[in-house]
Amino acid sequence: MARTVMIGNRKGGVAKTTTAVNLSYELSLKGKKVLLIDFDGQANTTSTYMLGDEEFYIGDALLDRKFDITKTIYPAIVDGIPQENLHIIPGRSGDVMTKLDMDMISLPRREERLLNHLNTIKDSYDYIFIDTNPGTSVLGLNAVIAADEFIIPTSYREKSIEGIEMFLTHIEEVKFIDESEIKFTILRCGLRRAAKREIAYGQSRTNTIWANQIANTIIWDKIIFFDAELAKLPVSKFSPKNEGAAYYRDFAREFDRNGK
Ligand SMILES: Nc1ncnc2c1ncn2[C@@H]1O[C@H](COP(=O)(O)OP(=O)(O)OP(=O)(O)O)[C@@H](O)[C@H]1O
Ligand SMILES: [Mg+2]
């Protein structure tokens, strides 16, 4: 039975998509069966792993209760090679996702549609990740309801810690639970080693509240992440020997162990 994990933060640009792309790849290399669903709206996950000519996308399943969700699943393409262990449900670019959101508003059980579809395929995967955007759309609500745990990337920069607080409050409201009942991991991403004051500030704020939820692995700021994104590749494929290639490999090991 898959661990279903939403990658979210109410703050934009904190490496949610970078985490989705790289963590899912590293886990698949470890032999885990991974499904990655793209709710982002910028469709970067989709453009990294797909050729762009896929017939179906996540909206087809969300709009139609009877639609066979397996038809929306495609093997990820990495460097031209279809991956056995990494599968994608593609999103579409912004306008299509906005329209999808609006079309879903009038549907019955509009917030449980992803959960219900995923229940039919959960046994086929070890991990299902949902990459989301910072908003609270109907799509976002579907992700919160479907997820049984959360990865919250933070840069420690301005508003990113507030983004964690807002996101946790949002999950409490949507799932009708207290923060103590939410299973989540805070992942520090894009930290600059030289920014000692920023790190000390972030550390002091997060450690007092969420000491046990912060991942040990730190994803430091490295230009290689931007370069790999441009090349539409996971970092460890783009430049296996780069120090940055080890970060998500280490986090994949840590995250996989956390679930045991
Ligand atoms: N560790 C890192 N070091 C340097 N740059 C990074 C790192 N992680 C991500 N980036 C870059 O930061 C930018 C934002 O990252 P990303 O798109 O993953 O954020 P996001 O949270 O998904 O944003 P959005 O809220 O818009 O969906 C990207 O250009 C990405 O390449
Ligand atoms: Mg994103």
Side-chain angles (χ1 to χ4, degrees):
M1 181 81 116
R3 284 169 78 182
T4 305
V5 186
M6 173 179 176
I7 302 178
N9 188 322
R10 292 296 299 281
K11 170 92 171 77
V14 291
K16 295 183 292 297
T17 299
T18 306
T19 298
V21 164
N22 288 286
L23 176 61
S24 57
Y25 180 66
E26 296 304 329
L27 285 165
S28 77
L29 291 185
K30 286 166 68 64
K32 305 290 172 188
K33 289 286 269 179
V34 183
L35 174 67
L36 175 52
I37 305 174
D38 189 0
F39 269 16
D40 182 333
Q42 295 169 91
N44 284 341
T45 303
T46 301
S47 62
T48 300
Y49 284 130
M50 301 277 91
L51 300 175
D53 57 357
E54 297 71 37
E55 185 177 0
F56 301 114
Y57 83 120
I58 185 62
D60 293 307
L62 293 175
L63 291 173
D64 181 356
R65 178 175 72 80
K66 295 218 168 110
F67 196 90
D68 175 5
I69 191 167
T70 61
K71 284 207 236 161
T72 68
I73 300 177
Y74 299 87
I77 310 288
V78 178
D79 226 2
I81 298 167
Q83 304 289 298
E84 200 177 316
N85 288 341
L86 179 56
H87 294 170
I88 311 290
I89 300 184
R92 295 263 154 96
S93 58
D95 290 352
V96 179
M97 295 308 260
T98 307
K99 181 169 182 313
L100 169 63
D101 215 76
M102 283 169 14
D103 289 345
M104 285 178 69
I105 285 176
S106 58
L107 297 179
R109 305 189 65 178
R110 56 177 178 253
E111 288 152 23
E112 300 159 34
R113 290 180 162 245
L114 180 66
L115 174 73
N116 287 321
H117 274 299
L118 293 186
N119 281 340
T120 66
I121 54 168
K122 267 191 145 182
D123 288 340
S124 309
Y125 292 95
D126 297 304
Y127 286 96
I128 299 175
F129 291 106
I130 313 162
D131 180 24
T132 58
N133 66 26
T136 50
S137 55
V138 179
L139 282 176
L141 294 174
N142 269 271
V144 174
I145 299 263
D148 26 62
E149 58 185 294
F150 301 85
I151 292 176
I152 313 177
T154 175
S155 63
Y156 277 167
R157 246 155 269 161
E158 194 203 357
K159 296 275 187 293
S160 132
I161 295 171
E162 282 82 350
I164 304 176
E165 281 161 356
M166 284 167 66
F167 185 50
L168 288 170
T169 306
H170 176 65
I171 298 167
E172 288 174 44
E173 294 300 315
V174 175
K175 281 192 173 298
F176 252 68
I177 55 176
D178 293 331
E179 189 179 303
S180 58
E181 298 169 86
I182 305 173
K183 190 167 180 208
F184 65 97
T185 305
I186 294 173
L187 178 63
R188 295 166 289 180
C189 292
L191 264 55
R192 291 167 290 188
R193 283 186 209 268
K196 299 235 167 8
R197 203 172 307 147
E198 190 173 82
I199 292 174
Y201 168 77
Q203 218 78 291
S204 71
R205 284 210 50 194
T206 51
N207 274 351
T208 44
I209 340 178
W210 302 301
N212 296 327
Q213 276 84 20
I214 303 171
N216 293 324
T217 309
I218 297 177
I219 314 294
W220 295 101
D221 178 69
K222 284 262 168 203
I223 195 74
I224 194 80
F225 284 97
F226 185 74
D227 296 342
E229 184 185 24
L230 276 187
K232 300 188 185 305
L233 285 172
V235 171
S236 72
K237 184 74 189 175
F238 178 70
S239 182
K241 297 219 163 68
N242 191 288
E243 184 196 317
Y247 299 157
Y248 280 100
R249 198 180 305 139
D250 291 347
F251 180 57
R253 198 180 307 124
E254 180 183 350
F255 190 69
D256 192 41
R257 220 184 291 126
N258 279 351
K260 304 259 156 65

